[in-house]
Amino acid sequence: MSTSVYFRFRPSSSSLVFNGSWYPEVNSNDSRSAKTFVVAGRSVVMCEKIKKVNSWLGAVFGEQAVPQFEVNTRTVDILHWLAESSEARCSDTALLIEDLTQKAAEYQAEGAHLQDVLLQSVGLSFASLSKPAADYFSALVENAMVLGVRDTSLGSFMPAVNNLTNELLEAEKSNRRLERELRALRKRLGATLVLRGSLQEDINKTVKTQAVESAKAEERLLNMDFVTAKANELSNRRERSEAQLVSRNMDKSITHQALVQLSEEVTALKKEIIPLKKKLEPYMDLSPSPSLAQVKIEEAKRELATLDSQLEMKVDFK
């Protein structure tokens, strides 16, 4: 336990009380004096902590030399906390040992009492038992120790066995649940592996396709460069040809564009002539001479008159 440190002013004067000791003539309004006493108090607390830490380290290392360490506020506080924790744990351990020792003594006394009862009432002692009986008793004692029961009575064994049975059932239930989860995980793992294989195949196909497309793209770039160079060359040749034609005063009516336009006009005229030709087809048998045409007309009239006379004769006959 660390010693408490406190400061207070004496009511009847300006003296300061430090750990129960009076320090006279200290002005309460003097900040320097107050700071001085605060620093003094902290120094005293630090010294007490260092003493306690040194005592604890000496007890821990015993005859061995205590390792050197840097003495500052942080290390001293940590070691002081460890010392207090160690003392508290040692105190708890001592109490536990004392309790266990007391229980062992009680068990030994109870065992001796039971041995005396058996020996006096029945005349039965452990030395007089046969080997199978001694083995049975040893097995019974070991089972009682394993089960952690107070004695070997049936009332102590049955709850312990029931608890173990419950634990076994819970373990089996947990085992079945884990097996179901394991089967589900195996199924998911199988599906994941199949998906991984499919994805790997897709990746391989994509890589191959990408390589082919990359080669095609490079070929197209080369072709494009060639076409671009060829187009530039043709453009330059066209410009030079146009310059030559301009210098020679070429008629524009025989240019390619003029010829194309004339061809389009000819095609349109041909389309217009087709219906006119159809209209002229009935007149194609006529002679181009007017006199011959008149002769043809007269012959047609005579044939028509002959047909009329024949028709009248047939009508009269009937």
Side-chain angles (χ1 to χ4, degrees):
M1 296 293 293
S2 60
T3 305
S4 60
V5 180
Y6 60 91
F7 298 92
R8 66 182 177 85
F9 287 95
R10 193 172 184 180
S12 60
S13 66
S14 59
S15 301
L16 184 69
V17 178
F18 172 65
N19 279 4
S21 302
W22 294 97
Y23 292 85
E25 302 300 328
V26 177
N27 187 1
S28 60
N29 296 322
D30 190 353
S31 61
R32 292 183 179 178
S33 299
K35 290 180 180 179
T36 302
F37 276 95
V38 169
V39 171
R42 291 178 179 176
S43 300
V44 171
V45 173
M46 181 62 68
C47 291
E48 292 180 354
K49 287 184 178 181
I50 292 173
K51 289 180 181 179
K52 187 170 184 178
V53 166
N54 289 331
S55 176
W56 175 67
L57 290 175
V60 170
F61 288 95
E63 297 180 356
Q64 298 180 1
V66 178
Q68 295 181 358
F69 61 92
E70 182 181 357
V71 180
N72 54 37
T73 304
R74 185 170 181 274
T75 57
V76 171
D77 289 340
I78 292 173
L79 291 173
H80 184 264
W81 178 79
L82 289 175
E84 289 184 345
S85 300
S86 177
E87 289 179 355
R89 177 173 287 185
C90 291
S91 176
D92 295 340
T93 305
L95 292 175
L96 181 61
I97 291 172
E98 183 179 357
D99 182 63
L100 292 176
T101 303
Q102 184 178 358
K103 287 182 178 180
E106 291 177 358
Y107 291 155
Q108 288 178 357
E110 186 177 0
H113 173 68
L114 292 175
Q115 287 181 359
D116 292 340
V117 169
L118 290 174
L119 183 61
Q120 292 176 2
S121 60
V122 184
L124 182 64
S125 65
F126 187 78
S128 62
L129 294 175
S130 62
K131 188 176 184 305
D135 293 338
Y136 292 152
F137 275 110
S138 299
L140 185 63
V141 172
E142 290 177 358
N143 290 330
M145 293 178 65
V146 170
L147 294 174
V149 296
R150 182 179 179 85
D151 51 32
T152 57
S153 63
L154 186 61
S156 297
F157 272 105
M158 290 304 295
V161 172
N162 290 333
N163 291 333
L164 286 179
T165 304
N166 292 332
E167 292 178 359
L168 178 61
L169 294 176
E170 289 295 329
E172 291 178 351
K173 182 179 178 181
S174 177
N175 189 22
R176 289 192 296 270
R177 178 176 58 81
L178 292 175
E179 287 180 353
R180 289 194 300 269
E181 293 178 357
L182 181 60
R183 286 194 295 270
L185 288 175
R186 285 177 177 173
K187 290 181 180 178
R188 293 172 60 185
L189 179 60
T192 304
L193 291 176
V194 172
L195 179 61
R196 179 178 178 276
S198 177
L199 291 176
Q200 188 64 39
E201 291 179 358
D202 293 339
I203 290 171
N204 295 333
K205 292 179 181 178
T206 304
V207 170
K208 292 180 181 179
T209 306
Q210 185 178 4
V212 173
E213 292 296 330
S214 179
K216 290 182 179 180
E218 291 179 358
E219 185 179 358
R220 289 171 183 172
L221 287 175
L222 294 175
N223 294 333
M224 187 175 65
D225 294 338
F226 173 75
V227 171
T228 303
K230 198 67 177 177
N232 293 331
E233 181 183 356
L234 294 174
S235 178
N236 294 330
R237 290 174 61 184
R238 181 179 60 81
E239 291 176 357
R240 288 196 299 269
S241 300
E242 289 178 354
Q244 289 178 1
L245 293 174
V246 170
S247 64
R248 295 176 182 177
N249 297 323
M250 186 191 71
D251 188 4
K252 293 185 179 179
S253 62
I254 62 174
T255 60
H256 177 71
Q257 185 176 1
L259 294 175
V260 170
Q261 186 175 0
L262 288 173
S263 176
E264 292 176 354
E265 291 177 357
V266 170
T267 303
L269 291 173
K270 286 181 178 180
K271 290 181 180 179
E272 293 177 358
I273 289 171
I274 291 172
L276 295 176
K277 285 183 176 180
K278 290 182 179 179
K279 288 181 181 181
L280 291 174
E281 283 180 356
Y283 304 98
M284 294 301 292
D285 295 336
L286 295 176
S287 174
S289 176
S291 59
L292 293 176
Q294 187 66 31
V295 173
K296 289 281 188 182
I297 292 171
E298 291 296 333
E299 289 178 355
K301 287 181 178 181
R302 286 194 297 268
E303 290 179 1
L304 181 60
T306 303
L307 291 173
D308 287 338
S309 62
Q310 291 178 358
L311 180 62
E312 288 178 357
M313 290 174 63
K314 288 181 180 181
V315 172
D316 293 337
F317 180 75
K318 290 180 180 181

